[in-house]
Amino acid sequence: MLDQATYLENRHLEKMMIQQKNDTPKALILGATGGIGREVTHQLSKAGWLINALKRGAYHPTENDNITWFQGDALNQADVEAAAQGCCVILHGVNPPGYKHWEDLVLPMLNNTIAVAKKIGACIILPGTVYNYGPDAFPLLNELSLQNPVTKKGQIRVEMERRLQDFSEQGGQVIIVRAGDFFGPNAANNWFSQGLIKPNKPVKNIKNPSTTNVGHQWAYLPDVAATMLKLIETRHTLDAFATFHMSGFWDQDGTQMAKAIRRVVEKHTRKAPNISVFPWWLMPLIAPFNETLREMMEMKYLWQQPIRMNNSKLLAQLGEEPTTPIDQAVENTLKGLGCLP
């Protein structure tokens, strides 16, 4: 049996551990199984945050003690509120399944996030997109560039940010991190994995959607998540409505990403895959039967002209932008997508 002194010491340590856990910051991740949500979950957890994660359908307990899973839907405000208890940050990284029915689902989901953030006093983090901009803002974008989108999806994104700005003017806090086309080891629904290569298959042919000699901006998801983490941890020094642009990987002539994929594949297989032009001509024939392809076709204009983001504001805030060398980022991505032996 423990003596009285040892018992009291153990009780004191137990109380300290409980108090420490209660003081640990907690974040709600909406879209925790998606590309950006999964990366932010991983990096916040690694940094010592507690994570509440909302997931549609059945879920399985995680081995990570920092993560608590909640079953629910971002379209249900009660589900979001139940999962958000004790959270000081909400990452709104959720999208409709398969990116379908955007016009019907995206804004109601955001409304729920805003309503819950108001109740609990949480900061909202949003992954931004270039869809917000039209040709009048190209080729170099900064945080003050005019947002005159030319697509339905772009108009919805602008409305999302307008509602978030309203929230910030009512006492809330918002951080928006805008980056190029996402790619990463846990992201299967993007141009990298749906256009250039095919997940879970050896890379024998790379279909490049870029127009010749037209630059394109990419964003490696672990770098985006690392940037968000740094901004979240300095959120008390930011404006109520804070937007930041990332530079990411700038493919200056539209061929560098495809060439990086080829280098990495050749390194692992000693065979260099072919690089061909993405079959844009075929898409209008298939798109009527595939809603995801219709959404992709709407963004074709982003591949026909150079669009680059100025990250000066981000550098002024953080001092540097988290950046992984492109070949390493591509190798990690191809391994995660099951494309390398």
Side-chain angles (χ1 to χ4, degrees):
M1 294 181 63
L2 295 177
D3 59 41
Q4 182 70 7
T6 303
Y7 172 78
L8 291 175
E9 182 179 357
N10 287 348
R11 289 293 296 158
H12 176 68
L13 289 173
E14 183 180 343
K15 288 180 180 180
M16 287 183 61
M17 290 175 66
I18 293 173
Q19 181 63 40
Q20 182 179 13
K21 186 168 184 178
N22 289 338
D23 290 342
T24 301
K26 183 186 293 186
L28 169 62
I29 309 296
L30 300 177
T33 58
I36 186 63
R38 186 174 299 184
E39 291 294 345
V40 173
T41 296
H42 170 71
Q43 297 208 26
L44 280 175
S45 177
K46 187 177 178 181
W49 282 62
L50 299 177
I51 306 296
N52 286 0
L54 187 67
K55 185 181 185 302
R56 302 183 190 97
Y59 65 95
H60 303 285
T62 176
E63 294 181 1
N64 191 326
D65 292 336
N66 285 3
I67 303 175
T68 302
W69 289 93
F70 290 79
Q71 185 176 356
D73 196 314
L75 283 167
N76 187 321
Q77 184 177 324
D79 289 347
V80 177
E81 188 169 349
Q85 295 307 306
C87 295
C88 58
V89 165
I90 301 176
L91 173 76
H92 189 86
V94 66
N95 284 298
Y99 288 85
K100 298 177 180 180
H101 307 299
W102 257 68
E103 61 275 14
D104 299 321
L105 304 180
V106 169
L107 292 175
M109 288 193 293
L110 180 68
N111 288 342
N112 290 338
T113 295
I114 292 173
V116 171
K118 282 182 180 179
K119 282 189 175 183
I120 66 174
C123 172
I124 299 176
I125 317 297
L126 179 75
T129 72
V130 296
Y131 307 158
N132 300 54
Y133 303 100
D136 61 333
F138 302 154
L140 186 63
L141 303 173
N142 62 42
E143 290 80 0
L144 298 178
S145 295
L146 294 176
Q147 297 190 4
N148 295 314
V150 295
T151 66
K152 288 187 300 181
K153 186 178 289 188
Q155 291 165 2
I156 292 171
R157 295 295 305 200
V158 170
E159 177 61 19
M160 288 176 70
E161 293 189 19
R162 188 195 66 77
R163 295 186 186 190
L164 287 170
Q165 188 162 14
D166 286 347
F167 164 65
S168 73
E169 292 171 354
Q170 297 167 17
Q173 185 177 27
V174 175
I175 300 173
I176 298 174
V177 178
R178 202 180 316 280
D181 268 315
F182 288 163
F183 71 104
N186 296 311
N189 199 355
N190 53 54
W191 271 104
F192 187 102
S193 60
Q194 297 296 315
L196 280 81
I197 58 102
K198 293 182 179 180
N200 301 310
K201 292 184 179 181
V203 180
K204 297 180 180 179
N205 184 42
I206 304 163
K207 296 178 181 178
N208 188 6
S210 290
T211 302
T212 304
N213 294 322
V214 171
H216 194 78
Q217 190 162 342
W218 295 88
Y220 183 50
L221 278 170
D223 292 342
V224 178
T227 300
M228 287 183 169
L229 173 60
K230 288 177 179 292
L231 291 171
I232 287 170
E233 292 185 333
T234 61
R235 65 191 181 281
H236 300 301
T237 69
L238 304 179
D239 293 336
F241 185 76
T243 62
F244 295 92
H245 287 187
M246 290 185 64
S247 177
F249 171 60
W250 173 243
D251 181 343
Q252 70 266 23
D253 65 358
T255 69
Q256 299 309 306
M257 177 59 84
K259 289 177 179 177
I261 296 173
R262 183 168 62 184
R263 283 195 304 272
V264 170
V265 173
E266 186 174 13
K267 169 187 168 184
H268 282 264
T269 67
R270 298 186 179 181
K271 294 180 181 179
N274 178 54
I275 298 177
S276 62
V277 177
F278 184 82
W280 287 108
W281 61 271
L282 185 60
M283 295 301 100
L285 304 177
I286 304 175
F289 310 101
N290 187 310
E291 189 166 355
T292 301
L293 283 179
R294 287 201 297 275
E295 297 286 350
M296 293 172 70
M297 277 295 296
E298 192 179 44
M299 297 301 140
K300 181 181 178 180
Y301 77 102
L302 298 174
W303 295 94
Q304 297 174 322
Q305 50 203 312
I307 303 166
R308 191 173 188 180
M309 277 176 280
N310 184 324
N311 70 340
S312 298
K313 182 181 176 183
L314 181 68
L315 295 180
Q317 177 66 32
L318 300 181
E320 62 180 1
E321 177 181 316
T323 304
T324 302
I326 186 58
D327 281 24
Q328 185 62 60
V330 167
E331 183 172 11
N332 295 345
T333 300
L334 293 176
K335 285 181 178 178
L337 294 175
C339 297
L340 294 176

